[in-house]
Every structure is written in C-alpha cells, then in structure tokens.
Amino acid sequence: MLDFETQYYSSDIHAIAGCDEAGRGPLAGPVFAAAVIFPEGYQNEEINDSKKLSASKRKKLFEIIERDALSYGIASVDAETIDKINIYEASRLAMKLALSQLKVPYQLVVSDAMPINDLPVKVIPIIKGDAKCLNIAAASILAKTMRDEYMDELALAYPQYSFASHKGYGTKAHLDELEKYGPIEGIHRKSFAPVAKFYQTQLKLF
C-alpha cells in the first residue's frame, strides 16, 4: 500500500496535494500533469504508479479517482512551449497549472521528484514518489490517461503517424515515420534531437 505521505499529516496539515506528470520523454505532443487531494486516511490498494498498470486498469482507476478525490486538476503544456522553456520547466509549469485547478485548500504538496517554486505552501519532492505516495500515484494515473487519450486523438488527425501505439515516444516506428513524412509543425518537439535534425537540414538547404 502506498502511504509515504501519511507521515506528513498533522494538526496543521490535513490536505495534501500529490502531483505528477506524464510525457517528458516523447518526441511529440504535450506534457500533461495532474494534482490530486484525497481525504486523510483514504486507502485504495489498486492505485499504483501508472507505469505499472495497463491502460484499461488506468481508465478504471481514473473514474475511481474522479469519484473519491476531494479535488483534482489536470493540465498540459504544448510542444511549442516545451521548445521555448525546455521540457523540465514545461513539466513544472504543467504541475503548477494542475495545482491551480484544485478547489480544496491544501497545506502541503508532494511531487514526483519535482521542486515547484512560487507556491504558498511547502513542496516536498519525493524520488520515485509515484511508487510511494498514494496521491502522487493517483496524479500519475490521471496525467497518463489524459495524455494517452490526447495522443489517440492525434492519431485520427494525422493517420500517417501511429500516435495511438507509440504515443509520441521515439520508437523505431516513430523514427521511421519521421524519416518518411517529416515532423508535424506544432506537434513535434523541435528541441528534441531526433526532430531537431530535420530543421537543421532545412537550414543547411538555405
């Protein structure tokens, strides 16, 4: 059972927001983040790090988290912003945007290894937090599920790219598609090396 954050509850801290992101590594698409506040003492042994769960399990748990959370928020930062501020800062921004959607006051934030500044409460970055903290694991499920759904929609808009299967990650299939079709403006991350080389080639031509 994930209960690492229970040590932080006190007379002053009775609502803890867990925060995580999904999509830092892909070559295409936004990075998503989510924030979740569960009632103190809430337990659910099915909730775990999203990477350890199947897509169908994540979708089932998504509905449970929506139902049981005191509040939750989900946000994304697009590829163009990622290129402007870098993926690390974009991940942090997505988390802050997700936290800003919470409708319940919280006294502490626990994040999956991400320091978050400019918040009115203390933030505790926890290494592998999504495998230790219930609230962070729940946030990872929301972020991952929403990002996967977004990439499924992109697959319909750009059928030449199999976004529904590789979700924008740098798989062999995706790299082959890049070679054949070139990057999609506003979708592929120009600052990521496998995509950047196409723009560098264009510059050389001119």
Side-chain angles (χ1 to χ4, degrees):
M1 185 171 64
L2 310 186
D3 60 0
F4 190 85
E5 69 263 58
T6 58
Q7 65 185 294
Y8 300 117
Y9 286 110
S10 68
S11 58
D12 297 321
I13 298 174
H14 49 84
I16 297 175
C19 215
D20 199 7
E21 51 72 30
R24 280 177 67 171
L27 309 179
V31 59
F32 275 72
V36 175
I37 302 173
F38 281 127
E40 183 177 352
Y42 177 80
Q43 296 180 358
N44 186 324
E45 294 189 3
E46 291 187 286
I47 294 174
N48 204 339
D49 174 4
S50 63
K51 296 185 290 295
K52 298 178 181 177
L53 304 171
S54 66
S56 60
K57 185 69 170 180
R58 288 194 295 267
K59 286 184 179 180
K60 176 187 172 186
L61 287 170
F62 189 103
E63 295 178 357
I64 292 171
I65 294 163
E66 279 187 309
R67 181 194 71 200
D68 293 351
L70 291 175
S71 188
Y72 69 91
I74 306 169
S76 65
V77 173
D78 62 26
E80 292 178 335
T81 304
I82 290 169
D83 290 333
K84 288 178 184 175
I85 65 176
N86 75 54
I87 185 58
Y88 186 80
E89 291 301 329
S91 298
R92 194 197 322 261
L93 174 59
M95 286 187 183
K96 291 172 77 171
L97 291 171
L99 286 164
S100 73
Q101 296 176 17
L102 296 174
K103 307 301 183 186
V104 172
Y106 53 91
Q107 297 78 44
L108 181 71
V109 172
V110 289
S111 73
D112 188 26
M114 174 65 76
I116 308 173
N117 50 10
D118 302 325
L119 291 182
V121 302
K122 183 177 181 180
V123 179
I124 301 177
I126 299 170
I127 303 297
K128 296 184 178 177
D130 51 4
K132 298 176 182 177
C133 296
L134 188 69
N135 291 11
I136 298 177
S140 78
I141 291 168
L142 296 189
K144 173 67 173 166
T145 302
M146 288 299 292
R147 187 178 192 280
D148 283 356
E149 289 184 4
Y150 181 92
M151 297 309 292
D152 290 345
E153 292 174 5
L154 273 189
L156 298 176
Y158 302 98
Q160 72 273 33
Y161 275 92
S162 46
F163 287 129
S165 56
H166 57 60
K167 307 302 185 192
Y169 283 87
T171 63
K172 184 181 185 303
H174 192 183
L175 294 175
D176 289 345
E177 290 161 356
L178 271 172
E179 289 290 342
K180 187 173 183 180
Y181 303 112
I184 303 168
E185 191 70 24
I187 301 298
H188 281 96
R189 302 174 181 179
K190 297 178 181 180
S191 55
F192 282 47
V195 180
K197 72 174 188 178
F198 289 93
Y199 292 95
Q200 291 164 357
T201 300
Q202 289 178 355
L203 289 173
K204 289 177 183 176
L205 293 175
F206 294 96

